[in-house]
Amino acid sequence: MYNLTKILQYGLLSRKVLDGYGNYQYFDKDRADNFLNGVCLSVSFPNSKMFYTYRKKYPQINWVVLAISSKVLYEKNCLFFPSNAACGFYRQYEQTVFESHEIFAAMFADEVYSKKGILLRRINLSAHHPTDVQAEVICLEGIEPDYVKFCVFDNMDHMHRFQSNYYALNCILANQDFDFFNQRIVGE
């Protein structure tokens, strides 16, 4: 929640832009995809492999998941990666390869190449989920606060405290039907 107030004021900004301002918190120190000029986004569900790791490493942090409007995908300059953008396999291609509608569709393909090899789409995986939970979109522009549809909190006290200052913001408490803080459920 440390960054949430600033995000709702200025939007989601790249690390490159934020480095010019100084005071912000981030956790992916390595940023192996080398896109410091981009904002990393997941499609339909957080990258639970990475999110779980950071939540366990930093348990003192009050985590919040932002739901961003899908309009970002066609209104902003975005790159689409069927698996983790840091996968070395992608480095052999020009950046323009990752800008097409076809590569976006490849995020939902029956087979996706990941750093562990070929990943097969699970037969009961919902159509709105990418094949690989680590698939990502890198937006090469800032994402204005208007694109934030709602925030998902895992703690009711934190949610109420935040809502008292941002009463117009849609806030949701994670529950078993709407839980972005655990593994992606295959059949949903």
PDB file of all heavy atoms in Angstrom, residues 35 41 43 70-85 90 95-108 135-140:
ATOM      1  N   PHE A  35      13.329  -4.090 -19.225  1.00  0.00           N
ATOM      2  CA  PHE A  35      12.380  -3.070 -19.674  1.00  0.00           C
ATOM      3  C   PHE A  35      12.119  -2.066 -18.551  1.00  0.00           C
ATOM      4  O   PHE A  35      10.991  -1.921 -18.076  1.00  0.00           O
ATOM      5  CB  PHE A  35      11.066  -3.707 -20.129  1.00  0.00           C
ATOM      6  CG  PHE A  35      11.150  -4.349 -21.476  1.00  0.00           C
ATOM      7  CD1 PHE A  35      11.167  -5.728 -21.592  1.00  0.00           C
ATOM      8  CD2 PHE A  35      11.195  -3.591 -22.630  1.00  0.00           C
ATOM      9  CE1 PHE A  35      11.237  -6.334 -22.829  1.00  0.00           C
ATOM     10  CE2 PHE A  35      11.263  -4.179 -23.876  1.00  0.00           C
ATOM     11  CZ  PHE A  35      11.289  -5.561 -23.981  1.00  0.00           C
ATOM     12  N   LEU A  41       2.471  -5.732 -16.453  1.00  0.00           N
ATOM     13  CA  LEU A  41       1.096  -6.061 -16.093  1.00  0.00           C
ATOM     14  C   LEU A  41       0.838  -7.541 -16.347  1.00  0.00           C
ATOM     15  O   LEU A  41       1.396  -8.124 -17.274  1.00  0.00           O
ATOM     16  CB  LEU A  41       0.116  -5.252 -16.952  1.00  0.00           C
ATOM     17  CG  LEU A  41       0.270  -3.736 -16.932  1.00  0.00           C
ATOM     18  CD1 LEU A  41      -0.564  -3.107 -18.033  1.00  0.00           C
ATOM     19  CD2 LEU A  41      -0.128  -3.192 -15.573  1.00  0.00           C
ATOM     20  N   VAL A  43      -2.282 -10.471 -17.068  1.00  0.00           N
ATOM     21  CA  VAL A  43      -3.586 -10.512 -17.718  1.00  0.00           C
ATOM     22  C   VAL A  43      -4.510 -11.428 -16.920  1.00  0.00           C
ATOM     23  O   VAL A  43      -4.196 -12.606 -16.719  1.00  0.00           O
ATOM     24  CB  VAL A  43      -3.473 -11.022 -19.173  1.00  0.00           C
ATOM     25  CG1 VAL A  43      -4.842 -11.174 -19.819  1.00  0.00           C
ATOM     26  CG2 VAL A  43      -2.595 -10.087 -19.988  1.00  0.00           C
ATOM     27  N   SER A  70      -8.853  -3.043 -19.454  1.00  0.00           N
ATOM     28  CA  SER A  70      -8.287  -3.685 -20.642  1.00  0.00           C
ATOM     29  C   SER A  70      -8.062  -2.687 -21.781  1.00  0.00           C
ATOM     30  O   SER A  70      -7.366  -2.992 -22.749  1.00  0.00           O
ATOM     31  CB  SER A  70      -9.197  -4.822 -21.111  1.00  0.00           C
ATOM     32  OG  SER A  70     -10.486  -4.323 -21.421  1.00  0.00           O
ATOM     33  N   LYS A  71      -8.595  -1.483 -21.672  1.00  0.00           N
ATOM     34  CA  LYS A  71      -8.364  -0.453 -22.684  1.00  0.00           C
ATOM     35  C   LYS A  71      -6.874  -0.158 -22.848  1.00  0.00           C
ATOM     36  O   LYS A  71      -6.438   0.265 -23.908  1.00  0.00           O
ATOM     37  CB  LYS A  71      -9.091   0.839 -22.321  1.00  0.00           C
ATOM     38  CG  LYS A  71     -10.596   0.750 -22.420  1.00  0.00           C
ATOM     39  CD  LYS A  71     -11.219   2.070 -22.022  1.00  0.00           C
ATOM     40  CE  LYS A  71     -12.728   1.999 -22.092  1.00  0.00           C
ATOM     41  NZ  LYS A  71     -13.336   3.284 -21.687  1.00  0.00           N
ATOM     42  N   VAL A  72      -6.099  -0.394 -21.797  1.00  0.00           N
ATOM     43  CA  VAL A  72      -4.646  -0.188 -21.874  1.00  0.00           C
ATOM     44  C   VAL A  72      -4.056  -0.988 -23.030  1.00  0.00           C
ATOM     45  O   VAL A  72      -3.143  -0.528 -23.717  1.00  0.00           O
ATOM     46  CB  VAL A  72      -3.970  -0.590 -20.531  1.00  0.00           C
ATOM     47  CG1 VAL A  72      -2.462  -0.734 -20.677  1.00  0.00           C
ATOM     48  CG2 VAL A  72      -4.301   0.418 -19.454  1.00  0.00           C
ATOM     49  N   LEU A  73      -4.602  -2.173 -23.276  1.00  0.00           N
ATOM     50  CA  LEU A  73      -4.058  -3.073 -24.296  1.00  0.00           C
ATOM     51  C   LEU A  73      -4.120  -2.491 -25.703  1.00  0.00           C
ATOM     52  O   LEU A  73      -3.292  -2.811 -26.548  1.00  0.00           O
ATOM     53  CB  LEU A  73      -4.782  -4.418 -24.263  1.00  0.00           C
ATOM     54  CG  LEU A  73      -4.698  -5.193 -22.949  1.00  0.00           C
ATOM     55  CD1 LEU A  73      -5.571  -6.426 -23.015  1.00  0.00           C
ATOM     56  CD2 LEU A  73      -3.261  -5.536 -22.607  1.00  0.00           C
ATOM     57  N   TYR A  74      -5.107  -1.647 -25.973  1.00  0.00           N
ATOM     58  CA  TYR A  74      -5.231  -1.085 -27.317  1.00  0.00           C
ATOM     59  C   TYR A  74      -5.108   0.434 -27.362  1.00  0.00           C
ATOM     60  O   TYR A  74      -4.974   1.013 -28.429  1.00  0.00           O
ATOM     61  CB  TYR A  74      -6.522  -1.553 -28.014  1.00  0.00           C
ATOM     62  CG  TYR A  74      -7.800  -1.295 -27.252  1.00  0.00           C
ATOM     63  CD1 TYR A  74      -8.484  -0.102 -27.374  1.00  0.00           C
ATOM     64  CD2 TYR A  74      -8.328  -2.277 -26.420  1.00  0.00           C
ATOM     65  CE1 TYR A  74      -9.658   0.125 -26.683  1.00  0.00           C
ATOM     66  CE2 TYR A  74      -9.512  -2.056 -25.729  1.00  0.00           C
ATOM     67  CZ  TYR A  74     -10.166  -0.851 -25.863  1.00  0.00           C
ATOM     68  OH  TYR A  74     -11.324  -0.641 -25.166  1.00  0.00           O
ATOM     69  N   GLU A  75      -5.115   1.084 -26.223  1.00  0.00           N
ATOM     70  CA  GLU A  75      -4.940   2.540 -26.202  1.00  0.00           C
ATOM     71  C   GLU A  75      -3.502   2.958 -25.912  1.00  0.00           C
ATOM     72  O   GLU A  75      -3.146   4.108 -26.116  1.00  0.00           O
ATOM     73  CB  GLU A  75      -5.883   3.177 -25.175  1.00  0.00           C
ATOM     74  CG  GLU A  75      -7.345   3.080 -25.566  1.00  0.00           C
ATOM     75  CD  GLU A  75      -8.278   3.723 -24.556  1.00  0.00           C
ATOM     76  OE1 GLU A  75      -7.824   4.169 -23.474  1.00  0.00           O
ATOM     77  OE2 GLU A  75      -9.494   3.772 -24.855  1.00  0.00           O
ATOM     78  N   LYS A  76      -2.703   2.032 -25.434  1.00  0.00           N
ATOM     79  CA  LYS A  76      -1.307   2.323 -25.070  1.00  0.00           C
ATOM     80  C   LYS A  76      -0.363   1.465 -25.904  1.00  0.00           C
ATOM     81  O   LYS A  76      -0.754   0.439 -26.458  1.00  0.00           O
ATOM     82  CB  LYS A  76      -1.074   2.021 -23.579  1.00  0.00           C
ATOM     83  CG  LYS A  76      -1.926   2.823 -22.621  1.00  0.00           C
ATOM     84  CD  LYS A  76      -1.352   4.185 -22.448  1.00  0.00           C
ATOM     85  CE  LYS A  76      -2.104   4.996 -21.404  1.00  0.00           C
ATOM     86  NZ  LYS A  76      -1.526   6.330 -21.267  1.00  0.00           N
ATOM     87  N   ASN A  77       0.885   1.873 -25.961  1.00  0.00           N
ATOM     88  CA  ASN A  77       1.922   1.119 -26.650  1.00  0.00           C
ATOM     89  C   ASN A  77       2.360  -0.029 -25.732  1.00  0.00           C
ATOM     90  O   ASN A  77       3.017   0.215 -24.715  1.00  0.00           O
ATOM     91  CB  ASN A  77       3.100   2.050 -26.980  1.00  0.00           C
ATOM     92  CG  ASN A  77       4.181   1.366 -27.777  1.00  0.00           C
ATOM     93  OD1 ASN A  77       3.984   0.295 -28.338  1.00  0.00           O
ATOM     94  ND2 ASN A  77       5.334   1.990 -27.830  1.00  0.00           N
ATOM     95  N   CYS A  78       1.977  -1.247 -26.093  1.00  0.00           N
ATOM     96  CA  CYS A  78       2.235  -2.408 -25.242  1.00  0.00           C
ATOM     97  C   CYS A  78       2.998  -3.501 -25.986  1.00  0.00           C
ATOM     98  O   CYS A  78       2.876  -3.646 -27.202  1.00  0.00           O
ATOM     99  CB  CYS A  78       0.920  -3.014 -24.751  1.00  0.00           C
ATOM    100  SG  CYS A  78       0.004  -1.964 -23.604  1.00  0.00           S
ATOM    101  N   LEU A  79       3.728  -4.275 -25.204  1.00  0.00           N
ATOM    102  CA  LEU A  79       4.406  -5.474 -25.687  1.00  0.00           C
ATOM    103  C   LEU A  79       3.766  -6.659 -24.993  1.00  0.00           C
ATOM    104  O   LEU A  79       3.444  -6.587 -23.794  1.00  0.00           O
ATOM    105  CB  LEU A  79       5.902  -5.421 -25.353  1.00  0.00           C
ATOM    106  CG  LEU A  79       6.666  -4.197 -25.844  1.00  0.00           C
ATOM    107  CD1 LEU A  79       8.102  -4.215 -25.321  1.00  0.00           C
ATOM    108  CD2 LEU A  79       6.646  -4.125 -27.358  1.00  0.00           C
ATOM    109  N   PHE A  80       3.579  -7.760 -25.719  1.00  0.00           N
ATOM    110  CA  PHE A  80       2.886  -8.934 -25.181  1.00  0.00           C
ATOM    111  C   PHE A  80       3.840 -10.130 -25.153  1.00  0.00           C
ATOM    112  O   PHE A  80       4.483 -10.440 -26.153  1.00  0.00           O
ATOM    113  CB  PHE A  80       1.673  -9.256 -26.050  1.00  0.00           C
ATOM    114  CG  PHE A  80       0.759  -8.063 -26.245  1.00  0.00           C
ATOM    115  CD1 PHE A  80       0.688  -7.421 -27.468  1.00  0.00           C
ATOM    116  CD2 PHE A  80      -0.005  -7.574 -25.198  1.00  0.00           C
ATOM    117  CE1 PHE A  80      -0.136  -6.320 -27.656  1.00  0.00           C
ATOM    118  CE2 PHE A  80      -0.835  -6.473 -25.370  1.00  0.00           C
ATOM    119  CZ  PHE A  80      -0.899  -5.849 -26.601  1.00  0.00           C
ATOM    120  N   PHE A  81       3.893 -10.788 -24.014  1.00  0.00           N
ATOM    121  CA  PHE A  81       4.794 -11.926 -23.833  1.00  0.00           C
ATOM    122  C   PHE A  81       3.986 -13.131 -23.349  1.00  0.00           C
ATOM    123  O   PHE A  81       3.411 -13.085 -22.251  1.00  0.00           O
ATOM    124  CB  PHE A  81       5.897 -11.583 -22.832  1.00  0.00           C
ATOM    125  CG  PHE A  81       6.826 -10.513 -23.337  1.00  0.00           C
ATOM    126  CD1 PHE A  81       6.546  -9.170 -23.137  1.00  0.00           C
ATOM    127  CD2 PHE A  81       7.971 -10.850 -24.031  1.00  0.00           C
ATOM    128  CE1 PHE A  81       7.387  -8.186 -23.605  1.00  0.00           C
ATOM    129  CE2 PHE A  81       8.830  -9.870 -24.509  1.00  0.00           C
ATOM    130  CZ  PHE A  81       8.536  -8.533 -24.297  1.00  0.00           C
ATOM    131  N   PRO A  82       3.957 -14.215 -24.115  1.00  0.00           N
ATOM    132  CA  PRO A  82       3.202 -15.411 -23.718  1.00  0.00           C
ATOM    133  C   PRO A  82       3.714 -16.069 -22.437  1.00  0.00           C
ATOM    134  O   PRO A  82       3.011 -16.834 -21.800  1.00  0.00           O
ATOM    135  CB  PRO A  82       3.369 -16.350 -24.910  1.00  0.00           C
ATOM    136  CG  PRO A  82       3.619 -15.434 -26.063  1.00  0.00           C
ATOM    137  CD  PRO A  82       4.441 -14.316 -25.487  1.00  0.00           C
ATOM    138  N   SER A  83       4.949 -15.763 -22.046  1.00  0.00           N
ATOM    139  CA  SER A  83       5.520 -16.240 -20.795  1.00  0.00           C
ATOM    140  C   SER A  83       6.242 -15.055 -20.158  1.00  0.00           C
ATOM    141  O   SER A  83       6.112 -13.922 -20.626  1.00  0.00           O
ATOM    142  CB  SER A  83       6.477 -17.414 -21.056  1.00  0.00           C
ATOM    143  OG  SER A  83       6.890 -17.992 -19.835  1.00  0.00           O
ATOM    144  N   ASN A  84       7.013 -15.289 -19.146  1.00  0.00           N
ATOM    145  CA  ASN A  84       7.752 -14.237 -18.464  1.00  0.00           C
ATOM    146  C   ASN A  84       8.657 -13.498 -19.456  1.00  0.00           C
ATOM    147  O   ASN A  84       9.441 -14.117 -20.171  1.00  0.00           O
ATOM    148  CB  ASN A  84       8.571 -14.869 -17.337  1.00  0.00           C
ATOM    149  CG  ASN A  84       9.173 -13.846 -16.418  1.00  0.00           C
ATOM    150  OD1 ASN A  84       9.737 -12.861 -16.850  1.00  0.00           O
ATOM    151  ND2 ASN A  84       9.044 -14.091 -15.132  1.00  0.00           N
ATOM    152  N   ALA A  85       8.557 -12.172 -19.486  1.00  0.00           N
ATOM    153  CA  ALA A  85       9.344 -11.377 -20.434  1.00  0.00           C
ATOM    154  C   ALA A  85      10.846 -11.516 -20.209  1.00  0.00           C
ATOM    155  O   ALA A  85      11.634 -11.229 -21.106  1.00  0.00           O
ATOM    156  CB  ALA A  85       8.934  -9.906 -20.350  1.00  0.00           C
ATOM    157  N   TYR A  90      13.143 -14.892 -25.562  1.00  0.00           N
ATOM    158  CA  TYR A  90      12.588 -13.717 -26.229  1.00  0.00           C
ATOM    159  C   TYR A  90      13.655 -12.739 -26.706  1.00  0.00           C
ATOM    160  O   TYR A  90      13.391 -11.900 -27.560  1.00  0.00           O
ATOM    161  CB  TYR A  90      11.603 -12.993 -25.308  1.00  0.00           C
ATOM    162  CG  TYR A  90      10.377 -13.800 -24.980  1.00  0.00           C
ATOM    163  CD1 TYR A  90       9.937 -13.939 -23.671  1.00  0.00           C
ATOM    164  CD2 TYR A  90       9.646 -14.426 -25.985  1.00  0.00           C
ATOM    165  CE1 TYR A  90       8.803 -14.682 -23.369  1.00  0.00           C
ATOM    166  CE2 TYR A  90       8.515 -15.171 -25.694  1.00  0.00           C
ATOM    167  CZ  TYR A  90       8.107 -15.296 -24.380  1.00  0.00           C
ATOM    168  OH  TYR A  90       6.983 -16.022 -24.087  1.00  0.00           O
ATOM    169  N   GLN A  95      11.992  -6.091 -30.767  1.00  0.00           N
ATOM    170  CA  GLN A  95      10.887  -5.660 -29.919  1.00  0.00           C
ATOM    171  C   GLN A  95       9.568  -5.586 -30.676  1.00  0.00           C
ATOM    172  O   GLN A  95       8.510  -5.899 -30.130  1.00  0.00           O
ATOM    173  CB  GLN A  95      11.224  -4.302 -29.303  1.00  0.00           C
ATOM    174  CG  GLN A  95      10.163  -3.767 -28.372  1.00  0.00           C
ATOM    175  CD  GLN A  95      10.595  -2.495 -27.686  1.00  0.00           C
ATOM    176  OE1 GLN A  95      11.681  -2.430 -27.125  1.00  0.00           O
ATOM    177  NE2 GLN A  95       9.751  -1.483 -27.737  1.00  0.00           N
ATOM    178  N   THR A  96       9.600  -5.231 -31.945  1.00  0.00           N
ATOM    179  CA  THR A  96       8.371  -5.077 -32.731  1.00  0.00           C
ATOM    180  C   THR A  96       7.584  -6.386 -32.839  1.00  0.00           C
ATOM    181  O   THR A  96       6.374  -6.356 -33.036  1.00  0.00           O
ATOM    182  CB  THR A  96       8.682  -4.559 -34.151  1.00  0.00           C
ATOM    183  OG1 THR A  96       9.637  -5.418 -34.765  1.00  0.00           O
ATOM    184  CG2 THR A  96       9.215  -3.136 -34.106  1.00  0.00           C
ATOM    185  N   VAL A  97       8.245  -7.528 -32.699  1.00  0.00           N
ATOM    186  CA  VAL A  97       7.572  -8.833 -32.747  1.00  0.00           C
ATOM    187  C   VAL A  97       6.514  -8.920 -31.652  1.00  0.00           C
ATOM    188  O   VAL A  97       5.467  -9.549 -31.823  1.00  0.00           O
ATOM    189  CB  VAL A  97       8.601  -9.979 -32.606  1.00  0.00           C
ATOM    190  CG1 VAL A  97       7.933 -11.317 -32.368  1.00  0.00           C
ATOM    191  CG2 VAL A  97       9.505 -10.027 -33.816  1.00  0.00           C
ATOM    192  N   PHE A  98       6.742  -8.258 -30.529  1.00  0.00           N
ATOM    193  CA  PHE A  98       5.868  -8.373 -29.362  1.00  0.00           C
ATOM    194  C   PHE A  98       4.765  -7.325 -29.311  1.00  0.00           C
ATOM    195  O   PHE A  98       4.060  -7.211 -28.318  1.00  0.00           O
ATOM    196  CB  PHE A  98       6.718  -8.342 -28.088  1.00  0.00           C
ATOM    197  CG  PHE A  98       7.762  -9.420 -28.087  1.00  0.00           C
ATOM    198  CD1 PHE A  98       9.085  -9.133 -28.380  1.00  0.00           C
ATOM    199  CD2 PHE A  98       7.403 -10.734 -27.852  1.00  0.00           C
ATOM    200  CE1 PHE A  98      10.036 -10.130 -28.410  1.00  0.00           C
ATOM    201  CE2 PHE A  98       8.349 -11.741 -27.889  1.00  0.00           C
ATOM    202  CZ  PHE A  98       9.668 -11.441 -28.165  1.00  0.00           C
ATOM    203  N   GLU A  99       4.591  -6.585 -30.404  1.00  0.00           N
ATOM    204  CA  GLU A  99       3.581  -5.526 -30.461  1.00  0.00           C
ATOM    205  C   GLU A  99       2.292  -5.946 -31.152  1.00  0.00           C
ATOM    206  O   GLU A  99       1.321  -5.206 -31.127  1.00  0.00           O
ATOM    207  CB  GLU A  99       4.161  -4.311 -31.196  1.00  0.00           C
ATOM    208  CG  GLU A  99       5.329  -3.675 -30.488  1.00  0.00           C
ATOM    209  CD  GLU A  99       5.991  -2.576 -31.294  1.00  0.00           C
ATOM    210  OE1 GLU A  99       5.636  -2.393 -32.489  1.00  0.00           O
ATOM    211  OE2 GLU A  99       6.871  -1.906 -30.744  1.00  0.00           O
ATOM    212  N   SER A 100       2.253  -7.104 -31.752  1.00  0.00           N
ATOM    213  CA  SER A 100       1.124  -7.470 -32.620  1.00  0.00           C
ATOM    214  C   SER A 100      -0.038  -8.128 -31.860  1.00  0.00           C
ATOM    215  O   SER A 100       0.124  -8.658 -30.764  1.00  0.00           O
ATOM    216  CB  SER A 100       1.606  -8.440 -33.704  1.00  0.00           C
ATOM    217  OG  SER A 100       1.898  -9.705 -33.135  1.00  0.00           O
ATOM    218  N   HIS A 101      -1.187  -8.099 -32.519  1.00  0.00           N
ATOM    219  CA  HIS A 101      -2.369  -8.782 -31.982  1.00  0.00           C
ATOM    220  C   HIS A 101      -2.135 -10.284 -31.968  1.00  0.00           C
ATOM    221  O   HIS A 101      -2.645 -10.996 -31.099  1.00  0.00           O
ATOM    222  CB  HIS A 101      -3.609  -8.452 -32.808  1.00  0.00           C
ATOM    223  CG  HIS A 101      -3.948  -6.994 -32.818  1.00  0.00           C
ATOM    224  ND1 HIS A 101      -4.089  -6.255 -31.672  1.00  0.00           N
ATOM    225  CD2 HIS A 101      -4.172  -6.138 -33.833  1.00  0.00           C
ATOM    226  CE1 HIS A 101      -4.382  -5.013 -31.980  1.00  0.00           C
ATOM    227  NE2 HIS A 101      -4.429  -4.903 -33.292  1.00  0.00           N
ATOM    228  N   GLU A 102      -1.362 -10.769 -32.927  1.00  0.00           N
ATOM    229  CA  GLU A 102      -1.082 -12.208 -33.021  1.00  0.00           C
ATOM    230  C   GLU A 102      -0.290 -12.690 -31.806  1.00  0.00           C
ATOM    231  O   GLU A 102      -0.565 -13.760 -31.268  1.00  0.00           O
ATOM    232  CB  GLU A 102      -0.303 -12.537 -34.304  1.00  0.00           C
ATOM    233  CG  GLU A 102      -1.107 -12.360 -35.578  1.00  0.00           C
ATOM    234  CD  GLU A 102      -1.195 -10.908 -36.062  1.00  0.00           C
ATOM    235  OE1 GLU A 102      -0.424 -10.050 -35.589  1.00  0.00           O
ATOM    236  OE2 GLU A 102      -2.075 -10.639 -36.902  1.00  0.00           O
ATOM    237  N   ILE A 103       0.668 -11.897 -31.357  1.00  0.00           N
ATOM    238  CA  ILE A 103       1.449 -12.313 -30.183  1.00  0.00           C
ATOM    239  C   ILE A 103       0.587 -12.222 -28.918  1.00  0.00           C
ATOM    240  O   ILE A 103       0.732 -13.025 -28.004  1.00  0.00           O
ATOM    241  CB  ILE A 103       2.783 -11.540 -30.049  1.00  0.00           C
ATOM    242  CG1 ILE A 103       3.744 -12.248 -29.083  1.00  0.00           C
ATOM    243  CG2 ILE A 103       2.570 -10.123 -29.613  1.00  0.00           C
ATOM    244  CD1 ILE A 103       4.385 -13.472 -29.611  1.00  0.00           C
ATOM    245  N   PHE A 104      -0.339 -11.265 -28.898  1.00  0.00           N
ATOM    246  CA  PHE A 104      -1.283 -11.231 -27.766  1.00  0.00           C
ATOM    247  C   PHE A 104      -2.105 -12.518 -27.748  1.00  0.00           C
ATOM    248  O   PHE A 104      -2.257 -13.156 -26.710  1.00  0.00           O
ATOM    249  CB  PHE A 104      -2.205 -10.014 -27.836  1.00  0.00           C
ATOM    250  CG  PHE A 104      -3.222  -9.995 -26.733  1.00  0.00           C
ATOM    251  CD1 PHE A 104      -2.871  -9.594 -25.455  1.00  0.00           C
ATOM    252  CD2 PHE A 104      -4.530 -10.404 -26.964  1.00  0.00           C
ATOM    253  CE1 PHE A 104      -3.796  -9.596 -24.426  1.00  0.00           C
ATOM    254  CE2 PHE A 104      -5.460 -10.406 -25.941  1.00  0.00           C
ATOM    255  CZ  PHE A 104      -5.096 -10.001 -24.666  1.00  0.00           C
ATOM    256  N   ALA A 105      -2.623 -12.923 -28.904  1.00  0.00           N
ATOM    257  CA  ALA A 105      -3.401 -14.169 -28.989  1.00  0.00           C
ATOM    258  C   ALA A 105      -2.562 -15.380 -28.593  1.00  0.00           C
ATOM    259  O   ALA A 105      -3.084 -16.340 -28.005  1.00  0.00           O
ATOM    260  CB  ALA A 105      -3.955 -14.338 -30.405  1.00  0.00           C
ATOM    261  N   ALA A 106      -1.257 -15.323 -28.879  1.00  0.00           N
ATOM    262  CA  ALA A 106      -0.368 -16.432 -28.522  1.00  0.00           C
ATOM    263  C   ALA A 106      -0.274 -16.633 -27.010  1.00  0.00           C
ATOM    264  O   ALA A 106       0.100 -17.717 -26.544  1.00  0.00           O
ATOM    265  CB  ALA A 106       1.022 -16.196 -29.115  1.00  0.00           C
ATOM    266  N   MET A 107      -0.632 -15.626 -26.234  1.00  0.00           N
ATOM    267  CA  MET A 107      -0.644 -15.769 -24.779  1.00  0.00           C
ATOM    268  C   MET A 107      -1.668 -16.824 -24.337  1.00  0.00           C
ATOM    269  O   MET A 107      -1.562 -17.373 -23.243  1.00  0.00           O
ATOM    270  CB  MET A 107      -0.973 -14.425 -24.114  1.00  0.00           C
ATOM    271  CG  MET A 107       0.079 -13.357 -24.347  1.00  0.00           C
ATOM    272  SD  MET A 107      -0.428 -11.713 -23.784  1.00  0.00           S
ATOM    273  CE  MET A 107      -0.282 -11.884 -22.021  1.00  0.00           C
ATOM    274  N   PHE A 108      -2.634 -17.117 -25.196  1.00  0.00           N
ATOM    275  CA  PHE A 108      -3.722 -18.042 -24.866  1.00  0.00           C
ATOM    276  C   PHE A 108      -3.632 -19.331 -25.698  1.00  0.00           C
ATOM    277  O   PHE A 108      -4.589 -20.100 -25.761  1.00  0.00           O
ATOM    278  CB  PHE A 108      -5.062 -17.352 -25.111  1.00  0.00           C
ATOM    279  CG  PHE A 108      -5.201 -16.071 -24.333  1.00  0.00           C
ATOM    280  CD1 PHE A 108      -4.757 -14.862 -24.863  1.00  0.00           C
ATOM    281  CD2 PHE A 108      -5.753 -16.066 -23.058  1.00  0.00           C
ATOM    282  CE1 PHE A 108      -4.856 -13.684 -24.137  1.00  0.00           C
ATOM    283  CE2 PHE A 108      -5.860 -14.891 -22.328  1.00  0.00           C
ATOM    284  CZ  PHE A 108      -5.405 -13.699 -22.870  1.00  0.00           C
ATOM    285  N   ALA A 135       2.702 -15.057 -18.044  1.00  0.00           N
ATOM    286  CA  ALA A 135       2.549 -14.224 -19.239  1.00  0.00           C
ATOM    287  C   ALA A 135       2.418 -12.775 -18.783  1.00  0.00           C
ATOM    288  O   ALA A 135       1.882 -12.502 -17.706  1.00  0.00           O
ATOM    289  CB  ALA A 135       1.308 -14.646 -20.016  1.00  0.00           C
ATOM    290  N   GLU A 136       2.921 -11.864 -19.608  1.00  0.00           N
ATOM    291  CA  GLU A 136       2.822 -10.477 -19.173  1.00  0.00           C
ATOM    292  C   GLU A 136       2.727  -9.503 -20.333  1.00  0.00           C
ATOM    293  O   GLU A 136       3.090  -9.809 -21.462  1.00  0.00           O
ATOM    294  CB  GLU A 136       3.969 -10.094 -18.242  1.00  0.00           C
ATOM    295  CG  GLU A 136       5.345 -10.187 -18.799  1.00  0.00           C
ATOM    296  CD  GLU A 136       6.407  -9.911 -17.740  1.00  0.00           C
ATOM    297  OE1 GLU A 136       6.330  -8.878 -17.048  1.00  0.00           O
ATOM    298  OE2 GLU A 136       7.322 -10.735 -17.609  1.00  0.00           O
ATOM    299  N   VAL A 137       2.212  -8.345 -19.973  1.00  0.00           N
ATOM    300  CA  VAL A 137       2.136  -7.210 -20.870  1.00  0.00           C
ATOM    301  C   VAL A 137       3.075  -6.167 -20.294  1.00  0.00           C
ATOM    302  O   VAL A 137       3.058  -5.906 -19.094  1.00  0.00           O
ATOM    303  CB  VAL A 137       0.701  -6.645 -20.938  1.00  0.00           C
ATOM    304  CG1 VAL A 137       0.655  -5.368 -21.756  1.00  0.00           C
ATOM    305  CG2 VAL A 137      -0.270  -7.685 -21.474  1.00  0.00           C
ATOM    306  N   ILE A 138       3.895  -5.593 -21.151  1.00  0.00           N
ATOM    307  CA  ILE A 138       4.726  -4.474 -20.709  1.00  0.00           C
ATOM    308  C   ILE A 138       4.238  -3.243 -21.453  1.00  0.00           C
ATOM    309  O   ILE A 138       4.301  -3.179 -22.680  1.00  0.00           O
ATOM    310  CB  ILE A 138       6.219  -4.733 -20.960  1.00  0.00           C
ATOM    311  CG1 ILE A 138       6.662  -5.926 -20.115  1.00  0.00           C
ATOM    312  CG2 ILE A 138       7.037  -3.478 -20.628  1.00  0.00           C
ATOM    313  CD1 ILE A 138       8.118  -6.259 -20.189  1.00  0.00           C
ATOM    314  N   CYS A 139       3.692  -2.316 -20.692  1.00  0.00           N
ATOM    315  CA  CYS A 139       3.181  -1.071 -21.258  1.00  0.00           C
ATOM    316  C   CYS A 139       4.335  -0.071 -21.281  1.00  0.00           C
ATOM    317  O   CYS A 139       4.930   0.221 -20.237  1.00  0.00           O
ATOM    318  CB  CYS A 139       2.016  -0.546 -20.426  1.00  0.00           C
ATOM    319  SG  CYS A 139       1.277   0.948 -21.099  1.00  0.00           S
ATOM    320  N   LEU A 140       4.647   0.450 -22.448  1.00  0.00           N
ATOM    321  CA  LEU A 140       5.781   1.355 -22.618  1.00  0.00           C
ATOM    322  C   LEU A 140       5.417   2.816 -22.398  1.00  0.00           C
ATOM    323  O   LEU A 140       6.181   3.715 -22.740  1.00  0.00           O
ATOM    324  CB  LEU A 140       6.397   1.157 -24.012  1.00  0.00           C
ATOM    325  CG  LEU A 140       6.944  -0.248 -24.262  1.00  0.00           C
ATOM    326  CD1 LEU A 140       7.418  -0.392 -25.710  1.00  0.00           C
ATOM    327  CD2 LEU A 140       8.053  -0.591 -23.289  1.00  0.00           C
TER     328      LEU A 140
END
